[in-house]
Amino acid sequence: MKIICPKGELLNRINIVLKAVPAKSTMPILESIVIDVKQDTIKLIANDMELGIETIAKGEVIEPGSVALNSKIFSEIIRKLPDNDVTIQTTENYSTLITCEKAKFNISGSSSEEFPFLPNIERNGGIVLSQFTLKEIIRQTVFSIADNESNKIMTGELFEIKEDELKVVSLDGHRVSIRKVKLNQPYPDMKVIVPGKTLNEVSKILSGEFADEADLYFTDKHVIFEFDDTLVLSRLIEGSFFKIDQMLSSDYETKVTVNKKELLSCIDRATLLVKESDKKPIIINIADGNMQLKMNSSIGSMDEEMDITKEGKDILIGFNPKFLIDALRVIDDEEVQIYLINSKMPCIIRDKEESYIYLVLPVNFNSAVQ
Amino acid sequence: MKIICPKGELLNRINIVLKAVPAKSTMPILESIVIDVKQDTIKLIANDMELGIETIAKGEVIEPGSVALNSKIFSEIIRKLPDNDVTIQTTENYSTLITCEKAKFNISGSSSEEFPFLPNIERNGGIVLSQFTLKEIIRQTVFSIADNESNKIMTGELFEIKEDELKVVSLDGHRVSIRKVKLNQPYPDMKVIVPGKTLNEVSKILSGEFADEADLYFTDKHVIFEFDDTLVLSRLIEGSFFKIDQMLSSDYETKVTVNKKELLSCIDRATLLVKESDKKPIIINIADGNMQLKMNSSIGSMDEEMDITKEGKDILIGFNPKFLIDALRVIDDEEVQIYLINSKMPCIIRDKEESYIYLVLPVNFNSAVQ
């Protein structure tokens, strides 16, 4: 195998496939990047068995072939080379010579025979999204997946298509995040659960440009993201997602309209007084025209008043401040509407069109102490 | 005590004194910042008993007094406040109310009576440096102090004044770094050892601007840095510094002139192949017109040739690559001169005027294996 690639292109492609290299594996071959060179394509591949990535690097093929190189050593060498053409050549026993200008590196490689290449999955009827939109809906929902594996389904996100609408849902037992986007055309109905880890990694390699497109393909067991000469293949999480519709009643007793940035800054300040260990709630006292936020902890106390517009009843309610912060951070609107029923029922932050819905459960607090 | 300060000014001053707050201390009072308010000055103070910092914050004094506040909580609260005037007021038992716009924080403080205020040291005949120069000479030498305390003197830097020259020296047993700067006038001769930690912290709060000045005062036991309404007081390290003049012979057998950036990049690339645990040398083979650099490790091998200008003998010599990198990184010249005697003797990198001298000991290597 012998190829010549510009350093920048090669490094860019390495950084893409690195997202599918496991940090540690009982199968050392999985810690490799495979360079698979055919007559006219240079493909880089990594696969941790849940998530696999293939990407095509632009370059010149001198001699086809393939080799598996330790991902860490290979990526660090390329990163530090001068900004010029890089030649990669395997010699006997997969020993690999990497040269660029006057620098010559020799590292040992291994056969790609043992490497689990990505299965060839037929792609039919994919949906098309802008990379911007895909990156955004991941960012706006992925924070509320559960991070422990005790409930596998909670570590993924529901991707549901109905006609020309894609709905993405994540939840962790304390809160629910929902985003909806319009698709460019109607598609057949579909419901799958995509691992959160996959979405996090995909999000890192998406360009985020509105003009760039990404294609999504779904099968019974897999999802494929295809964009910019890159293919990301991930297993789906098996099972049925939680029924959430009954939680999302549109009834409310109190509706608050408030400046998002002010509210976010205020809650953020209050968290200063919360140590990781003691989960102190922020207490919100909603009255006509203003809302008082209070935090009391062993470190000190904080209280702040904000101007609001209120419809309906007064209410006193407590929340884990982190959950409110997470939701407010990913809302772009200048003003948000918060809907409440009573101090035991979740609050819902949503826009009129329900393009986003963030539901957060309240926490109990001793109002006498507060 | 009651004061009003703009948030930006207050935060800036807090960040300065934080450099003298110990991460952990057996004396909890040392983890405080003291606000000491007189009729017309607001002073912030921190002191870890080795290093003490006082700084004057611009603001309005409503009522003199003083209070000690936990540095972490105090700094985090100020950091997160809106960008407006901040009022700090102590009530009974040093309880402290911090208000800004509609935000109100209440935290407990304590009396400053137990706090070790900085001793009042008479300042005579200080030397004047630009903050730029002071920050630069620290950066260009402090990397080669020893980081373990087994030889206390090696954890500091020699500051030596002779006539109108300041010489700063650091060494760690494997290398020596020397920088010399011209002062604005002759001063009495002087030799002290300033703790490296002090220099690191001072360097962080210096503006680095050429037009800003810093005054340095030395006593038998202390050094004082004074600049921008800030006073940094540090103990000196007692003892005599190492005699280094005999190591700095100007004799040489080989003189190499080489592009600094190319050499640095090349050695930097070679370190990829070095694991923290095995201290592999970089082998440099100097011949007429070119220099070959080689690295061999369990990970792989690297070799690279560079164009050089050589005077004198050919030489084959090995170095710890990190030591060469550290020195080359802080040299601003485009080309450097390297002076060598033989493979057992240190190399010296210096300019013609000897405004900088970096001495690095070579390492033994088995040339048969290389």
Side-chain angles (χ1 to χ4, degrees):
Chain A
M1 188 206 88
K2 186 173 181 183
I3 55 168
I4 303 174
C5 281
K7 178 237 171 133
E9 166 72 4
L10 192 58
L11 185 58
N12 180 18
R13 296 297 163 177
I14 289 172
N15 284 335
I16 289 172
V17 294
L18 273 179
K19 305 288 183 291
V21 177
K24 254 212 152 117
S25 172
T26 48
M27 289 169 65
I29 189 81
L30 297 188
E31 292 168 29
S32 311
I33 291 175
V34 165
I35 310 178
D36 189 37
V37 180
K38 299 271 189 285
Q39 215 57 49
D40 53 359
T41 57
I42 302 169
K43 200 185 267 183
L44 271 61
I45 313 167
N47 189 357
D48 71 5
M49 308 301 282
E50 285 284 316
L51 176 69
I53 304 181
E54 286 181 357
T55 193
I56 307 284
K58 287 175 194 69
E60 189 186 344
V61 177
I62 312 284
E63 197 193 327
S66 77
V67 65
L69 298 173
N70 177 286
S71 61
K72 193 153 177 286
I73 297 163
F74 179 49
S75 64
E76 285 183 1
I77 288 175
I78 303 300
R79 185 164 298 124
K80 295 237 171 164
L81 287 176
D83 204 1
N84 211 327
D85 278 349
V86 178
T87 305
I88 304 176
Q89 180 174 14
T90 50
T91 56
E92 56 194 295
N93 285 324
Y94 300 98
S95 175
T96 301
L97 188 67
I98 301 172
T99 51
C100 181
E101 294 181 1
K102 288 181 176 173
K104 277 178 262 167
F105 278 91
N106 208 328
I107 57 174
S108 56
S110 51
S111 161
S112 63
E113 265 173 39
E114 310 257 301
F115 188 82
F117 282 83
L118 273 54
N120 207 341
I121 289 168
E122 218 173 305
R123 277 161 272 168
N124 292 317
I127 69 165
V128 183
L129 277 176
S130 93
Q131 291 197 34
F132 171 81
T133 304
L134 181 55
K135 197 173 171 115
E136 280 291 282
I137 52 173
I138 294 173
R139 180 179 74 88
Q140 291 161 338
T141 53
V142 81
F143 61 86
S144 65
I145 59 171
D147 51 9
N148 79 61
E149 296 274 320
S150 65
N151 189 329
K152 188 80 183 165
I153 287 174
M154 279 194 190
T155 66
E157 297 203 352
L158 176 71
F159 272 60
E160 180 175 5
I161 292 170
K162 261 194 196 148
E163 306 269 321
D164 64 346
E165 187 183 82
L166 168 66
K167 182 163 84 172
V168 176
V169 183
S170 73
L171 54 83
D172 68 359
H174 304 284
R175 50 189 170 158
V176 184
S177 304
I178 304 173
R179 284 273 168 175
K180 294 175 195 164
V181 290
K182 279 273 168 270
L183 300 170
N184 59 338
Q185 61 172 81
Y187 292 93
D189 286 4
M190 187 223 57
K191 248 183 174 176
V192 296
I193 307 170
V194 184
K197 181 179 177 297
T198 297
L199 295 170
N200 272 321
E201 301 304 341
V202 165
S203 153
K204 286 178 203 157
I205 53 182
L206 286 166
S207 72
E209 294 299 319
F210 199 82
D212 298 342
E213 285 188 346
D215 297 328
L216 278 67
Y217 302 90
F218 300 94
T219 71
D220 282 358
K221 302 240 182 241
H222 291 98
V223 55
I224 291 173
F225 299 85
E226 199 170 15
F227 52 93
D228 303 339
D229 289 333
T230 298
L231 184 148
V232 180
L233 173 81
S234 164
R235 284 180 195 275
L236 295 172
I237 296 175
E238 291 180 47
S240 306
F241 203 72
F242 305 91
K243 307 254 172 294
I244 50 162
D245 289 346
Q246 69 215 38
M247 299 165 74
L248 302 172
S249 141
S250 56
D251 295 344
Y252 63 89
E253 296 285 334
T254 310
K255 176 182 170 186
V256 172
T257 303
V258 59
N259 180 290
K260 190 213 80 167
K261 209 178 140 192
E262 272 181 43
L263 178 59
L264 180 55
S265 307
C266 172
I267 303 174
D268 191 36
R269 276 193 284 280
T271 57
L272 290 179
L273 301 177
V274 187
K275 284 188 217 143
E276 205 60 57
S277 49
D278 66 350
K279 293 191 177 146
K280 288 285 176 182
I282 185 157
I283 310 300
I284 305 182
N285 194 355
I286 296 166
D288 280 334
N290 79 72
M291 177 158 93
Q292 189 189 30
L293 295 97
K294 271 192 182 186
M295 169 69 74
N296 254 310
S297 80
S298 55
I299 300 174
S301 66
M302 179 263 197
D303 90 68
E304 187 160 347
E305 278 195 4
M306 295 184 57
D307 296 332
I308 59 167
T309 309
K310 190 200 77 167
E311 290 171 28
K313 290 189 190 167
D314 290 359
I315 179 172
L316 181 69
I317 189 166
F319 291 102
N320 178 331
K322 181 182 182 307
F323 295 163
L324 293 179
I325 289 174
D326 284 347
L328 291 169
R329 269 204 189 127
V330 297
I331 295 175
D332 293 326
D333 295 346
E334 202 173 316
E335 288 202 320
V336 290
Q337 272 77 46
I338 308 175
Y339 299 84
L340 303 117
I341 297 171
N342 61 46
S343 67
K344 309 281 182 208
M345 301 278 281
C347 83
I348 290 178
I349 306 172
R350 63 172 162 83
D351 59 348
K352 218 179 275 173
E353 305 75 30
E354 302 200 342
S355 73
Y356 62 82
I357 304 175
Y358 293 97
L359 178 149
V360 180
L361 288 177
V363 291
N364 283 324
F365 62 96
N366 184 339
S367 59
V369 175
Q370 304 290 335
Chain B
M1 188 207 87
K2 187 174 179 182
I3 56 169
I4 303 174
C5 282
K7 178 239 171 127
E9 166 72 3
L10 192 57
L11 185 58
N12 180 19
R13 297 295 164 177
I14 289 172
N15 284 335
I16 289 172
V17 294
L18 273 179
K19 307 288 183 289
V21 176
K24 256 219 153 107
S25 173
T26 49
M27 290 170 64
I29 188 81
L30 297 188
E31 291 169 29
S32 311
I33 291 175
V34 165
I35 310 177
D36 188 38
V37 181
K38 299 272 189 285
Q39 216 58 47
D40 53 358
T41 56
I42 302 168
K43 199 185 268 182
L44 272 61
I45 312 167
N47 189 359
D48 71 5
M49 308 300 282
E50 285 284 317
L51 176 70
I53 304 181
E54 286 181 358
T55 194
I56 307 284
K58 288 174 194 70
E60 188 186 343
V61 176
I62 311 285
E63 197 193 327
S66 77
V67 66
L69 298 174
N70 177 286
S71 61
K72 192 153 178 285
I73 296 162
F74 178 49
S75 64
E76 284 183 1
I77 288 174
I78 302 301
R79 185 164 297 125
K80 294 236 171 163
L81 286 177
D83 204 0
N84 212 326
D85 279 348
V86 177
T87 304
I88 304 176
Q89 180 175 13
T90 50
T91 56
E92 55 193 295
N93 286 324
Y94 300 98
S95 176
T96 300
L97 189 67
I98 302 171
T99 51
C100 181
E101 293 181 1
K102 288 183 178 172
K104 277 178 260 169
F105 278 91
N106 207 328
I107 57 173
S108 56
S110 50
S111 161
S112 64
E113 265 173 40
E114 311 255 303
F115 188 82
F117 282 84
L118 273 54
N120 206 341
I121 288 169
E122 218 173 305
R123 276 161 271 168
N124 292 315
I127 70 166
V128 183
L129 277 176
S130 93
Q131 291 198 33
F132 172 80
T133 305
L134 182 56
K135 198 175 170 116
E136 280 291 282
I137 52 173
I138 295 173
R139 179 180 74 88
Q140 290 162 339
T141 53
V142 80
F143 60 86
S144 65
I145 59 170
D147 50 9
N148 79 63
E149 296 274 320
S150 65
N151 188 330
K152 189 77 182 167
I153 287 174
M154 281 195 189
T155 66
E157 297 203 351
L158 176 72
F159 272 60
E160 180 175 5
I161 292 171
K162 262 192 197 151
E163 305 269 318
D164 65 344
E165 189 183 80
L166 168 67
K167 183 163 85 172
V168 176
V169 183
S170 72
L171 54 83
D172 68 359
H174 303 286
R175 51 190 169 156
V176 185
S177 304
I178 304 173
R179 283 272 169 176
K180 294 175 195 162
V181 290
K182 280 271 167 272
L183 300 172
N184 59 339
Q185 60 170 80
Y187 291 93
D189 286 6
M190 189 221 56
K191 248 182 172 178
V192 297
I193 307 169
V194 183
K197 181 179 176 298
T198 297
L199 295 170
N200 272 321
E201 300 304 342
V202 165
S203 153
K204 285 178 203 154
I205 54 181
L206 286 166
S207 73
E209 293 299 321
F210 200 82
D212 297 343
E213 286 187 346
D215 298 327
L216 278 66
Y217 302 90
F218 299 95
T219 72
D220 283 358
K221 303 242 182 240
H222 291 98
V223 54
I224 292 173
F225 299 85
E226 199 170 16
F227 51 94
D228 303 339
D229 290 335
T230 298
L231 185 148
V232 179
L233 174 80
S234 164
R235 285 180 195 273
L236 294 173
I237 296 174
E238 290 180 45
S240 306
F241 203 72
F242 306 91
K243 307 257 172 291
I244 51 162
D245 290 345
Q246 69 215 35
M247 298 165 74
L248 301 173
S249 143
S250 57
D251 296 343
Y252 62 89
E253 297 284 336
T254 310
K255 176 182 170 187
V256 172
T257 303
V258 58
N259 180 291
K260 191 213 78 167
K261 209 176 141 192
E262 272 181 43
L263 179 59
L264 180 55
S265 307
C266 172
I267 303 175
D268 191 37
R269 276 193 285 279
T271 58
L272 289 179
L273 301 178
V274 186
K275 283 189 218 146
E276 204 59 56
S277 49
D278 65 351
K279 294 190 179 149
K280 288 285 177 185
I282 184 156
I283 310 299
I284 305 183
N285 194 355
I286 296 166
D288 281 333
N290 79 71
M291 178 158 91
Q292 189 189 31
L293 294 98
K294 270 193 180 185
M295 170 68 77
N296 254 311
S297 81
S298 56
I299 299 172
S301 65
M302 178 264 196
D303 88 68
E304 186 160 349
E305 278 194 5
M306 295 183 58
D307 296 333
I308 60 166
T309 311
K310 190 200 77 166
E311 291 170 29
K313 292 188 187 166
D314 290 0
I315 178 172
L316 182 69
I317 190 166
F319 291 101
N320 178 330
K322 181 181 182 308
F323 295 162
L324 294 178
I325 289 174
D326 284 347
L328 292 170
R329 269 203 189 128
V330 297
I331 295 175
D332 293 327
D333 294 345
E334 203 173 313
E335 287 202 322
V336 289
Q337 273 76 46
I338 308 175
Y339 299 85
L340 303 118
I341 297 172
N342 62 45
S343 67
K344 307 283 183 208
M345 300 279 278
C347 81
I348 290 179
I349 307 172
R350 61 173 162 84
D351 58 350
K352 220 178 276 174
E353 306 73 30
E354 302 203 340
S355 73
Y356 62 81
I357 304 175
Y358 293 97
L359 179 149
V360 180
L361 288 178
V363 291
N364 283 323
F365 61 95
N366 184 338
S367 60
V369 175
Q370 304 289 335

